[in-house]
Amino acid sequence: MTWVAAVARLRARREPGVIATVATVRGHAPRRAGAKLVVGRTETWGSIGGGNIEAVAVDRARELIGSACAVPDSEPELMEFALNDKVTSRHGVQCCGGAVTVLLEPLPVVQAVAIFGVGHVGLELARILARHDLDLHLIDTRRDMLTGERLGVLADAVAQIEVHHTPLLPEAVLTELPAGTHVLIMTHDHAEDAALCDAALRTAGLGSIGLIGSAAKWARFRQRLAAEGGHEAAAIDRIKTPIGMTGITGKEPATIAVSVAAALLQTFEQDRDGPAPHTLAAVASVPNAPLTVAGRR
């Protein structure tokens, strides 16, 4: 497997890793500059020369992987190796006679975002978020919102995009999302929004939950989530509404999308400083039946 394919595999598994690259070579060495090794939690792909060089690099890479939760933005590191029999080596002697520098580049698990409702605001928001290195899930019950022609504006995305057409129960996607996914609820149907809020509060391991809408809409939702959904006030408070930056009041879809994206980027920064409490603990199941909302299709 090539190092590119190995990095793609880690990305698909949402596992942290490290790329080890032979950065410089002086004199004789097992591999030339540019040789790469990809290190995962339990697997490696490629080689930077074997022996002490590779074993020490793997040890340090696994230390970086282990600290990825505590320090998500670990900086790249340079390691220097002298290849002679006078150097004390942790994993045996390599006496090729040269010297090697190895660059370790952490591969963190990227943020994940799910947009429920790819209407005017949802599509504008997807266009902004698609410019960032994250996993972006787009969910809608309406097939015409997810056509290749309509989503063609995302063709040059940096993000990894996954599209979900869910004509009946979009909330079923919640249990398929990666741990820590930030959820934004902005469908065309208030009944659908309500069902998604209820299901999100019942789904363990999500990141932040945001709901688009007015104060009046939220007052109705909050009352029903408590009375019919059986959710405690502290759980309901996990849902942030209105979403976006408070100082931006424009109602145009693109303006709302910029506001919501900016607030979400702030949440990402807070995650880097330390995960919010609700991302660390599983959400307890609510014994009551899921909320049913009149008008739900």
Side-chain angles (χ1 to χ4, degrees):
M1 181 181 294
T2 66
W3 71 269
V4 175
V7 170
R9 174 175 289 189
L10 288 174
R11 172 69 177 254
R13 293 177 179 175
R14 293 188 58 78
E15 294 180 11
V18 172
I19 301 177
T21 305
V22 176
T24 63
V25 173
R26 297 187 301 276
H28 295 285
R31 296 295 304 273
R32 295 178 178 177
K36 294 183 184 295
L37 167 73
V38 178
V39 182
R41 285 196 181 105
T42 60
E43 298 175 86
T44 63
W45 301 268
S47 175
I48 55 172
N52 183 66
I53 296 174
E54 190 160 308
V56 171
V58 169
D59 286 348
R60 179 55 185 156
R62 295 238 162 96
E63 289 175 358
L64 292 173
I65 290 170
S67 66
C69 291
V71 188
D73 286 339
S74 297
E75 295 291 331
E77 295 183 3
L78 279 173
M79 305 183 75
E80 296 184 356
F81 299 88
L83 306 180
N84 61 68
D85 57 4
K86 296 179 176 58
V87 175
T88 301
S89 301
R90 192 187 312 172
H91 298 281
V93 175
Q94 281 180 291
C95 50
C96 304
V100 171
T101 301
V102 175
L103 175 66
L104 299 181
E105 297 177 274
L107 299 169
V109 177
V110 299
Q111 296 280 359
V113 179
I115 301 175
F116 285 84
V118 194
H120 298 302
V121 176
L123 183 59
E124 292 290 349
L125 180 58
R127 292 177 69 176
I128 297 170
L129 294 180
R131 306 308 308 157
H132 297 266
D133 186 21
L134 51 81
D135 288 344
L136 182 59
H137 297 260
L138 305 178
I139 307 100
D140 207 298
T141 58
R142 303 163 294 174
R143 186 178 294 279
D144 58 335
M145 295 292 103
L146 302 174
T147 63
E149 180 179 3
R150 189 165 185 272
L151 299 184
V153 294
L154 309 178
D156 61 348
V158 175
Q160 297 286 328
I161 298 176
E162 186 168 346
V163 176
H164 308 258
H165 175 231
T166 53
L168 296 177
L169 296 171
E171 58 266 36
V173 175
L174 288 165
T175 60
E176 303 171 7
L177 297 173
T181 298
H182 299 279
V183 172
L184 295 165
I185 300 170
M186 49 180 64
T187 80
H188 66 296
D189 184 347
H190 284 201
E192 197 169 295
D193 284 353
L196 283 164
C197 286
D198 177 59
L201 293 180
R202 299 174 188 275
T203 303
L206 295 177
S208 63
I209 305 169
L211 169 69
I212 200 168
S214 65
K217 172 183 175 180
W218 177 235
R220 291 194 300 273
F221 278 28
R222 187 177 186 94
Q223 191 276 328
R224 299 197 69 174
L225 287 168
E228 298 180 23
H231 298 284
E232 299 291 337
I236 297 173
D237 286 341
R238 289 186 56 213
I239 299 176
K240 178 177 174 55
T241 186
I243 49 177
M245 307 294 289
T246 56
I248 301 176
T249 59
K251 294 181 180 290
E252 297 81 5
T255 302
I256 296 170
V258 167
S259 174
V260 173
L264 189 59
L265 291 176
Q266 282 190 333
T267 300
F268 293 170
E269 293 292 335
Q270 292 166 3
D271 283 356
R272 292 188 183 99
D273 294 336
H278 64 259
T279 67
L280 296 176
V283 181
S285 298
V286 179
N288 302 57
L291 182 66
T292 56
V293 182
R296 181 76 191 282
R297 294 172 302 162

